[in-house]
Amino acid sequence: MPITGGFSGGGENLGNAHGTITIDTSQAAQAAQSMRTIGRQMEQSMSGLRGAAAQAQSAFNTVAQGVQSLRAELTALSLATGAVTAFGLNAARDLRAYTVAFRTLLGSQKESERAMRTLTDTANEFGLELESTLQLGRALLPILQGNTAELENWVKRAALLRSIFPVAQRGAETRAIAEFLAGQTVSIQRLFNIPPELIQQAQASFQDYGAQLDFILQRMGATEQGAREMADQFVSLTNELKLTLAVGFTPLFREMQSGLRTFREWLEQLRETNPALLHAGAGFTAFVALATPALLIVSQLIVALQRLQAIGALNVLGRAGLVGAAVGGGFLGGVQATRFIGQATGNEMMAEATTESVWLAIRRQLISLETTLAGINVMINTGLLRAVQAVVSAFNAGANAIGRVIEYIGSILPGRAGERVTLEGQALQMAATTHQQSFDARIEELLANVRREEFSRITRMTGAMIPPSGVTDADRSGSATLIQAEQQLNADRLALIADWATAVKQIEESAAQSRLEATQQYERQRADVIASYELTIAREAEDFARQRARQMAQLERGIMDVLRNAAERRAEYEANLAETLADVRADTAKRLAELEEKYQRDRERAATTHRENLLNAAARLDATAIVAEQRRFANENRDREENYRERVEQERENLAERIAQEQEAHTQRLEDAQKADEQRIADLRRNLADQQRIEDEDRAIRLARQAEDHTRQLAQLDANHTERLAQIDRQAAQERSKLDSAFQAELAQLGEHHTAWLRAQEEHQKTALEMFEKWWEQLGRRFSGGGSGPAAGQPNINVPQQFASGGPVNRTGAAIVHAGEYVLNPTTTRMLSDALGGFSQNGLVNAVRGGRNITVAEGAIQIHATGNWTPEVIGRVVHAEFLAALQRVAA
Amino acid sequence: MSFQWERTPEDALVELAEAYVTAIHDSIATLARRYAPEIEQWLKDNAPWTDRTGNARQTLMSEVEELANSAVIIILAHGMEYGVFLELAHGGRYSVIMPALDYFIPRIWADVLELLRS
């Protein structure tokens, strides 16, 4: 979710100056989409997990016993190595934590290692605890701003501080200094008995913390030499040992971290299937986090498994189990009790229970349960055995690492002691390797036997609990062969049921896999569609924004053109005005000059005339004339002067008026031009607004259609997905139905009549009987002459004719004849008919008796026999007569 | 079996995620709206020029715009057309928008982080 800021504005147009602070929250929306996808994936995964969870209600007794049997081996190893393992792993963890912290502060792994080495050396030199020294370094580095050289001085100060009060708690000096640096002086006062006045004096004298502490240490008499002499060599040895173990255990720590993370995830999944596994999961999580000795974890696991066993017993049975228990209880308490239960619960099967049916029910329940439990136990046993294998492997790896460390320590120890330690280390490594190999082999053997043992257990239990049906004890005791055959039959039944259960599981797994793949494909398609749509929308918005910006820029350019033209026009108007005014002023000036010139000329001429007149008057000594002349001259001058001034004034007024007129005209032109420009600008803006309004409408329609198409596309995807899932379900149901039918048939062949199979057989029989009844009824109707043919939808039955009362045969076919009847062939029949003039039984009898009329045909020739002529004679005579008549006709 | 989802992970996660995103967006929008008047007041208080008409100072403004669940924008703007000259001319001597951005972005971002942490 980035935050950005920016500034924009300016350009050739004035525009707006503005800045923005944008906080992008779109990533959160993308995260939501991811969460949505993850949610669906989890749902799909959890559907499988739920299946596993349903199976996870297994009998954990076997597993718990198996783990218990491993306990002794784990105990032997753990007691020997558990403490060292924890010590080493803790040290490795601390080393890793400090390395990471120092690397973060100093910026490089090399600097980090160098600083830690320096701190370790200094700590060993002064007998300070490594962990607290590293912690002090960790606290000081940010303050010192990465100055690692100063770190050493501070560690020395810590050693000096310890030398003041050597019996202080281990690590107290570094903690006190760390607090001192943070402005707290309580620890340094109380743990090392530093007088508070001294501390205050140091703080008053120095600003720097180092200088303050140096002042305090000096006043307390601490010296570096003394601190070195007081160094605790045991602490130094411990430091090195811890560091050595830390380095030695680092690879193991890393291996365990990665391996156990996977193991932890597996346990977390298992834990979700049953809350009782929380103990085991918590134990293992603690093991991962804190490197708790694994024996404790195994104990926790065993406790959890035992608890699961207790809790899971009823859950394992479930509903079917309760029915089975009720039936079984009914048998133990008497068949009548079962009947009562059945009557009370409305279960017809139980209400009509007999001894055999109860046994049959129990047998079915047990076989079903045991078959299910077999698969569950295989799964759980396999998973937990693998888990135990992981734990034990971790121990063996730990033992191996410890052996290497011990071997390393032995190699650096001098003399025979070192050799003995080396041999011990090698022996431990060999023991760990041997144990791991034998343990792996045992685990693999256990895993290989799990399924076989389960099946064997079912066979043994079923064989023990279910006597063969239909075989009495007497028969069984008297016939070993029969018992053997029955046992073989039971084995066949179990194998058949196991195969059926396996096939059902395969069908379900195949269907679940198909559902998963279909859903994944659906998710991909949906994500693609959404991404494509969002990309389209984003591009459209970008294009739209670009178009708007372009339009605004174009508008501003148009306005600028108008304003520029206005400025040019204004300048032109100003120039014209100035020129006009100059012309006007020039004309006025010219006229004023002419007036001035004329005025001066008239004045000079008048003065000349006046002087001449005065001279003339003086020559005449005419004082009156002189006075008159002077008066006249004065008047003339005054008139001329007034006239001149009036004309000048008039010119000036004219000039001012012209200027005013020109300026007024100029102002008017400017106003007109400005109005025109404003109108042009307003037109530009209005046109743009109209254009944008139309574009907005079109865009809104376009976006709405895109949204509709997108929604429709998503709905189509949803429908397709739903249909696909339904198709998978149908196919699975068909396969399951087919499998069930085959299973029932095979069970029937073994004499194991499944209730559903019996019910189906009864249905088949009932249907067959109904069809026979219909057929028989139809047949009866045909024989009784009812109906003219087969009814619609009924079989076409050819009922044989019968002639109990005689009569003509009109079609060829089967007939029912009766004793005493005589059947004539067609030739004889035809001859008799010819002879008798029609054939009937009565006519034939009469003809044979004689003296009776023979009617050949109605209205035809009648022959009257007379005398004692026999019918044969009459026939021959008639035949001869007919023949002669025909010959006559032919001639 | 005793294990059963009361709500499926898909439903719960999707709803939680959407609610979380909406909450983030709304919170940040609220934060921005709280900051907007403060920014505007800061602009008016810290505009470095000497007023002639007072229009430039009075028309300094700050507003909040929201893009649907994608971004929250705080806009700082001059109201007068010659504001751009104040910002850019004379080497930015009379600039007020850019200093405001420098001043407020770290504060807002720190608040956003604090908001998300809480």
Side-chain angles (χ1 to χ4, degrees):
Chain A
M1 190 182 302
I3 181 170
T4 56
F7 175 83
S8 63
E12 62 181 358
N13 55 315
L14 296 180
N16 287 324
H18 66 272
T20 59
I21 300 172
T22 304
I23 307 166
D24 186 1
T25 60
S26 62
Q27 290 178 1
Q30 293 171 7
Q33 178 63 26
S34 299
M35 291 290 283
R36 210 172 286 124
T37 304
I38 290 171
R40 294 193 184 98
Q41 290 174 350
M42 280 187 65
E43 170 65 15
Q44 293 155 12
S45 303
M46 288 302 165
S47 64
L49 191 59
R50 277 197 292 274
Q55 297 179 350
Q57 302 174 39
S58 171
F60 281 91
N61 190 24
T62 304
V63 183
Q65 287 177 353
V67 177
Q68 290 277 16
S69 68
L70 294 172
R71 193 174 178 180
E73 296 165 293
L74 292 174
T75 303
L77 183 62
S78 299
L79 288 178
T81 63
V84 184
T85 304
F87 183 73
L89 288 176
N90 279 326
R93 184 196 60 204
D94 293 341
L95 179 68
R96 178 173 176 271
Y98 282 116
T99 304
V100 172
F102 278 42
R103 186 178 63 216
T104 305
L105 291 170
L106 296 175
S108 74
Q109 181 72 19
K110 187 177 178 182
E111 282 294 319
S112 167
E113 291 175 358
R114 195 176 67 80
M116 290 181 68
R117 187 67 253 177
T118 302
L119 287 172
T120 306
D121 291 339
T122 311
N124 291 340
E125 184 181 1
F126 291 98
L128 300 176
E129 253 193 20
L130 177 61
E131 187 178 355
S132 57
T133 306
L134 291 175
Q135 179 58 34
L136 177 64
R138 166 71 182 82
L140 280 171
L141 271 178
I143 300 172
L144 300 176
Q145 297 181 343
N147 185 0
T148 53
E150 187 64 18
L151 270 180
E152 190 175 356
N153 294 330
W154 277 99
V155 176
K156 288 177 182 175
R157 291 186 182 109
L160 292 173
L161 186 60
R162 167 160 282 283
S163 70
I164 295 174
F165 195 61
V167 296
Q169 188 182 2
R170 290 188 190 282
E173 67 280 4
T174 51
R175 287 197 300 275
I177 287 181
E179 290 182 7
F180 182 74
L181 289 172
Q184 298 291 331
T185 59
V186 176
S187 293
I188 203 169
Q189 286 179 33
R190 294 184 178 175
L191 296 179
F192 296 95
N193 296 329
I194 306 293
E197 297 81 5
L198 181 59
I199 297 174
Q200 291 170 1
Q201 188 180 354
Q203 288 175 335
S205 304
F206 302 94
Q207 291 290 328
D208 180 56
Y209 285 116
Q212 292 176 11
L213 195 55
D214 288 338
F215 175 78
I216 294 170
L217 294 171
Q218 185 184 3
R219 292 289 297 274
M220 294 297 293
T223 62
E224 198 168 315
Q225 181 65 28
R228 279 200 178 86
E229 289 177 357
M230 278 190 267
D232 191 340
Q233 295 304 321
F234 179 76
V235 173
S236 303
L237 178 62
T238 307
N239 287 343
E240 278 302 323
L241 181 61
K242 187 180 289 185
L243 198 60
T244 304
L245 283 174
V247 173
F249 271 85
T250 295
L252 172 64
F253 186 75
R254 289 175 183 162
E255 287 178 7
M256 289 179 68
Q257 284 239 329
S258 60
L260 289 179
R261 187 179 299 116
T262 306
F263 184 43
R264 182 192 60 194
E265 291 170 356
W266 179 84
L267 278 173
E268 286 175 353
Q269 287 183 351
L270 192 60
R271 182 183 55 188
E272 289 177 359
T273 65
N274 198 311
L277 268 176
L278 282 171
H279 289 279
F284 276 103
T285 305
F287 176 62
V288 172
L290 304 174
T292 307
L295 181 61
L296 179 62
I297 304 308
V298 174
S299 300
Q300 287 289 325
L301 177 62
I302 292 169
V303 171
L305 291 176
Q306 288 172 339
R307 187 164 302 177
L308 273 176
Q309 178 192 1
I311 296 172
L314 287 178
N315 291 336
V316 167
L317 292 175
R319 188 175 173 187
L322 289 176
V323 173
V327 175
F331 182 77
L332 294 175
V335 175
Q336 189 59 40
T338 303
R339 290 176 177 167
F340 288 154
I341 294 173
Q343 290 165 1
T345 59
N347 189 326
E348 294 180 0
M349 185 190 75
M350 292 170 66
E352 298 172 358
T354 62
T355 304
E356 286 301 322
S357 64
V358 170
W359 264 120
L360 182 62
I362 292 173
R363 183 166 53 187
R364 287 173 182 157
Q365 292 296 336
L366 288 176
I367 289 173
S368 176
L369 280 174
E370 282 301 316
T371 305
T372 305
L373 290 177
I376 296 169
N377 277 340
V378 168
M379 182 187 73
I380 297 298
N381 287 346
T382 302
L384 287 181
L385 283 175
R386 289 292 186 197
V388 172
Q389 187 182 24
V391 175
V392 175
S393 298
F395 267 103
N396 284 328
N400 221 331
I402 293 167
R404 287 199 298 271
V405 173
I406 294 174
E407 185 181 0
Y408 168 72
I409 294 172
S411 68
I412 61 176
L413 289 176
R416 296 179 61 81
E419 292 176 2
R420 284 199 301 274
V421 172
T422 302
L423 289 176
E424 289 294 332
Q426 291 172 348
L428 181 56
Q429 291 179 62
M430 186 171 295
T433 304
T434 306
H435 180 268
Q436 181 66 41
Q437 290 172 351
S438 63
F439 184 78
D440 285 344
R442 182 171 178 182
I443 287 289
E444 293 303 324
E445 184 183 353
L446 284 173
L447 291 173
N449 289 335
V450 162
R451 184 178 292 277
R452 187 166 58 250
E453 286 179 357
E454 286 299 331
F455 185 77
S456 174
R457 192 164 67 85
I458 298 171
T459 307
R460 286 197 306 273
M461 193 197 74
T462 310
M465 294 187 63
I466 305 177
S469 59
V471 180
T472 64
D473 291 341
D475 292 336
R476 190 176 296 106
S477 62
S479 176
T481 305
L482 190 59
I483 294 172
Q484 192 174 4
E486 183 67 20
Q487 288 174 346
Q488 179 61 40
L489 185 59
N490 279 339
D492 292 343
R493 289 169 184 158
L494 288 173
L496 181 61
I497 293 170
D499 291 342
W500 172 78
T502 303
V504 168
K505 193 169 78 171
Q506 287 175 349
I507 290 173
E508 294 298 333
E509 286 177 353
S510 175
Q513 182 64 28
S514 298
R515 287 189 201 99
L516 181 63
E517 291 173 356
T519 304
Q520 287 174 342
Q521 183 182 7
Y522 161 74
E523 290 296 333
R524 283 195 298 272
Q525 291 176 345
R526 189 179 173 86
D528 290 343
V529 167
I530 292 173
S532 174
Y533 173 70
E534 290 177 349
L535 180 62
T536 303
I537 294 298
R539 285 178 175 169
E540 196 277 340
E542 184 183 350
D543 294 342
F544 181 73
R546 193 183 304 114
Q547 180 187 4
R548 278 294 156 90
R550 198 180 298 122
Q551 289 172 346
M552 291 304 295
Q554 188 174 359
L555 173 66
E556 289 174 354
R557 280 197 300 275
I559 293 174
M560 285 304 299
D561 289 342
V562 171
L563 294 178
R564 188 166 52 249
N565 292 335
E568 292 173 357
R569 194 164 49 248
R570 179 193 293 267
E572 183 181 355
Y573 288 168
E574 294 289 350
N576 290 339
L577 175 64
E579 186 178 356
T580 303
L581 292 180
D583 291 345
V584 170
R585 286 193 178 96
D587 290 344
T588 302
K590 184 178 178 182
R591 280 194 295 277
L592 288 175
E594 289 174 355
L595 285 175
E596 177 69 20
E597 184 180 356
K598 184 174 180 298
Y599 170 71
Q600 293 298 336
R601 192 167 54 247
D602 291 344
R603 191 164 171 251
E604 289 176 359
R605 191 181 302 120
T608 304
T609 303
H610 176 62
R611 199 163 42 247
E612 289 175 353
N613 291 335
L614 285 178
L615 289 174
N616 291 331
R620 290 190 309 268
L621 299 175
D622 185 354
T624 305
I626 290 173
V627 171
E629 178 59 23
Q630 287 178 335
R631 188 176 298 120
R632 185 200 61 82
F633 180 70
N635 290 335
E636 184 184 14
N637 280 345
R638 187 177 58 252
D639 292 341
R640 186 171 53 248
E641 179 72 20
E642 288 178 355
N643 186 31
Y644 170 71
R645 291 193 183 281
E646 286 177 0
R647 293 193 61 179
V648 168
E649 186 63 26
Q650 184 63 39
E651 284 295 331
R652 286 182 176 163
E653 288 177 359
N654 290 341
L655 174 63
E657 187 177 357
R658 282 288 306 277
I659 289 174
Q661 288 174 350
E662 290 295 334
Q663 287 181 334
E664 185 179 357
H666 173 70
T667 303
Q668 185 63 39
R669 278 197 299 273
L670 285 180
E671 289 179 356
D672 292 343
Q674 187 175 359
K675 287 180 181 176
D677 291 339
E678 289 175 353
Q679 184 62 38
R680 286 178 61 191
I681 292 173
D683 290 343
L684 286 174
R685 292 186 190 278
R686 187 173 58 254
N687 291 338
L688 179 61
D690 292 342
Q691 180 185 350
Q692 289 184 344
R693 181 175 48 76
I694 294 171
E695 288 174 354
D696 287 344
E697 292 175 358
D698 292 343
R699 181 172 182 249
I701 294 172
R702 189 168 61 250
L703 289 177
R705 286 176 177 168
Q706 287 179 347
E708 288 175 4
D709 293 343
H710 176 63
T711 305
R712 195 178 303 114
Q713 196 172 1
L714 290 181
Q716 185 62 41
L717 277 178
D718 292 343
N720 292 343
H721 179 57
T722 305
E723 174 58 27
R724 174 62 184 146
L725 292 182
Q727 184 184 2
I728 292 171
D729 291 342
R730 285 196 300 272
Q731 184 174 354
Q734 288 175 359
E735 291 178 1
R736 177 68 185 270
S737 175
K738 189 176 177 182
L739 179 68
D740 288 345
S741 299
F743 174 63
Q744 291 167 11
E746 291 176 357
L747 272 183
Q749 288 180 358
L750 294 175
E752 183 72 29
H753 298 295
H754 194 280
T755 305
W757 185 85
L758 288 174
R759 197 177 300 117
Q761 293 304 312
E762 290 174 357
E763 289 295 329
H764 290 329
Q765 187 177 10
K766 185 178 177 184
T767 304
L769 287 174
E770 288 175 355
M771 289 180 65
F772 177 77
E773 289 295 336
K774 287 181 181 176
W775 177 80
W776 186 252
E777 184 182 354
Q778 183 73 14
L779 185 66
R781 280 203 301 271
R782 288 295 181 93
F783 275 92
S784 61
S788 57
Q794 297 297 325
N796 188 2
I797 303 172
N798 292 323
V799 181
Q801 297 179 92
Q802 56 180 339
F803 300 93
S805 59
V809 178
N810 297 321
R811 59 182 174 87
T812 301
I816 297 175
V817 296
H818 307 82
E821 292 177 343
Y822 190 91
V823 181
L824 300 176
N825 63 27
T827 304
T828 305
T829 305
R830 189 166 55 249
M831 289 176 63
L832 284 172
S833 179
D834 291 344
L836 297 175
F839 193 92
S840 66
Q841 295 183 74
N842 292 330
L844 179 60
V845 172
N846 289 333
V848 171
R849 286 177 180 170
R852 298 295 178 91
N853 295 333
I854 299 172
T855 302
V856 177
E858 190 175 0
I861 299 169
Q862 293 185 351
I863 299 168
H864 300 281
T866 59
N868 295 323
W869 285 13
T870 63
E872 289 77 9
V873 174
I874 295 173
R876 282 196 295 272
V877 171
V878 170
H879 181 264
E881 287 298 327
F882 266 103
L883 187 61
L886 290 174
Q887 288 173 346
R888 283 196 300 275
V889 171
Chain B
M1 180 58 190
S2 60
F3 177 82
Q4 186 175 5
W5 292 114
E6 292 181 0
R7 290 180 57 73
T8 65
E10 180 185 5
D11 293 341
L13 274 178
V14 170
E15 290 180 12
L16 283 174
E18 289 177 350
Y20 184 58
V21 170
T22 304
I24 288 175
H25 188 83
D26 292 347
S27 303
I28 290 176
T30 304
L31 180 72
R33 279 192 286 273
R34 187 188 70 73
Y35 261 106
E38 183 181 343
I39 292 173
E40 183 170 320
Q41 191 59 47
W42 190 92
L43 290 173
K44 291 176 178 174
D45 292 343
N46 293 276
W49 59 79
T50 301
D51 289 347
R52 301 292 183 227
T53 65
N55 290 339
R57 188 179 301 275
Q58 290 304 316
T59 56
L60 285 168
M61 50 83 75
S62 175
E63 289 182 351
V64 176
E65 290 289 339
E66 290 182 59
L67 301 181
N69 273 353
S70 64
V72 177
I73 302 174
I74 305 174
I75 300 172
L76 296 69
H78 278 271
M80 301 307 293
E81 61 181 7
Y82 52 85
V84 65
F85 294 117
L86 293 170
E87 291 296 324
L88 299 178
H90 303 289
R93 181 178 172 186
Y94 301 108
S95 170
V96 69
I97 297 289
M98 289 303 291
L101 293 177
D102 292 340
Y103 180 74
F104 278 102
I105 283 179
R107 292 159 56 96
I108 293 174
W109 183 238
D111 283 356
V112 168
L113 293 180
E114 185 64 27
L115 191 74
L116 295 178
R117 273 195 289 270
S118 63

